[in-house]
Amino acid sequence: MRILYTLLFLLISLSASIAQTTLDTALNFIAKDIYGNRIELYEFLDDDKIVVIDFFNTSCGPCQTYAPDMQASYTDFGENQGNVIYMGISKGDDNSMVARFDSIFGITYPSISGSQGGGNAIHTSYNILGTPTVIVITPDRVIVEKHIWEPTRSNINEAVENAGGIMVSTGNISTDNVVMAEIWPNPVGDYARLGFISAGSEYSFMITDIAGRTRLALLGEYFSNGRQTKLIPTESLSGGLYFLIIMQDGKPISKAKLIKN
């Protein structure tokens, strides 16, 4: 029995290691992530972004194993705020299954489900032979990495840097100057309340979408020392996932996920 399990593990590992897209040039697609955000591949490429895609399935063992590595690489390159865009595209899963997967493995980059987001069709059009398949696409629409194996943090980072990606590592930052406490309610309606700890300084606030584009910017305001609350108007935002960023001296010092109904 032990030999059977060993052979099965080797077979799964071999299958994963040879999985890849058969395409050389990226095909455009339009999909929706699990929060309803519209995602069009060519919009990112035309904006001179490098795109990293993890083709996965929530029940795939290697997909679960390497999901934290993909998340770590996403953080290293600025969480879609720099010149690299990360996303996951599932096959055979609905939004709730992908949301559970993301919650378990700490995934915060955009995820497209197979049955509700359009992921099944994208897997088919890209001739994905197995999961996980992590690919890298440059702005000229060339798939420069057709399959990163093993998709560890270091291997993904190396491939992205070779494609021209620039590390940012701004991540979820906590400093002595400000500590993000909470956004409530979340999901938000027309307004969001932001609670944070101030060190007695001037802070400005910005909301960006999943591609790092600024959707709302508020002018600097002085806050005295201690716990503070800031009311953020969000009625102009359409439904979906955003990031609320606290800025000091023009630099992001803390960041939180915001979901708009």
Side-chain angles (χ1 to χ4, degrees):
M1 183 64 71
R2 182 177 297 176
I3 295 176
L4 178 60
Y5 285 140
T6 300
L7 290 174
L8 182 59
F9 175 79
L10 291 174
L11 181 61
I12 293 173
S13 297
L14 178 62
S15 174
S17 67
I18 63 176
Q20 60 179 316
T21 178
T22 61
L23 302 183
D24 296 312
T25 303
L27 301 176
N28 193 30
F29 58 78
I30 298 174
K32 287 188 177 181
D33 70 10
I34 60 175
Y35 297 104
N37 294 292
R38 180 183 182 275
I39 294 177
E40 181 174 355
L41 176 64
Y42 279 8
E43 282 188 357
F44 296 126
L45 300 179
D46 291 343
D47 196 31
D48 205 33
K49 305 287 188 180
I50 296 164
V51 176
V52 182
I53 302 177
D54 177 21
F55 289 96
F56 75 102
N57 176 272
T58 61
S59 61
C60 155
C63 300
Q64 298 169 5
T65 297
Y66 293 109
D69 288 271
M70 181 77 170
Q71 173 68 26
S73 182
Y74 161 71
T75 299
D76 290 338
F77 286 89
E79 298 185 347
N80 287 0
Q81 306 295 307
N83 75 326
V84 186
I85 299 294
Y86 285 71
M87 68 180 74
I89 302 180
S90 166
K91 181 178 182 180
D93 304 305
D94 62 22
N95 284 350
S96 64
M97 296 166 70
V98 173
R100 183 172 183 273
F101 180 92
D102 287 357
S103 176
I104 291 172
F105 297 103
I107 303 303
T108 58
Y109 51 79
S111 294
I112 298 168
S113 73
S115 60
Q116 292 178 274
N120 290 343
I122 300 171
H123 273 251
T124 298
S125 65
Y126 273 70
N127 299 322
I128 299 301
L129 304 178
T131 55
T133 292
V134 178
I135 70 173
V136 179
I137 308 169
T138 48
D140 58 4
R141 303 179 184 179
V142 174
I143 303 177
V144 294
E145 289 287 348
K146 300 173 72 170
H147 180 50
I148 301 172
W149 187 257
E150 298 173 350
T152 61
R153 178 182 189 175
S154 60
N155 286 345
I156 297 172
N157 284 0
E158 181 181 3
V160 174
E161 283 191 300
N162 288 342
I166 301 171
M167 281 196 176
V168 178
S169 288
T170 55
N172 294 313
I173 304 169
S174 176
T175 73
D176 292 336
N177 294 327
V178 63
V179 177
M180 179 69 71
E182 58 184 337
I183 294 177
W184 77 93
N186 203 7
V188 306
D190 289 341
Y191 291 90
R193 285 179 171 82
L194 169 67
F196 64 99
I197 306 299
S198 168
S201 183
E202 182 175 289
Y203 304 109
S204 57
F205 307 88
M206 178 171 65
I207 294 178
T208 67
D209 61 19
I210 58 174
R213 294 173 292 228
T214 301
R215 296 305 188 189
L216 177 68
L218 301 179
L219 296 177
E221 180 179 351
Y222 179 82
F223 291 85
S224 58
N225 190 59
R227 181 172 175 81
Q228 303 292 332
T229 299
K230 172 68 176 177
L231 196 64
I232 308 290
T234 54
E235 69 270 19
S236 63
L237 303 176
S238 56
L241 171 65
Y242 299 88
F243 294 100
L244 195 157
I245 302 170
I246 296 180
M247 313 279 290
Q248 186 179 44
D249 298 326
K251 297 179 181 179
I253 58 174
S254 194
K255 177 179 175 181
K257 183 166 65 176
L258 183 152
I259 302 170
K260 174 67 187 294
N261 278 326

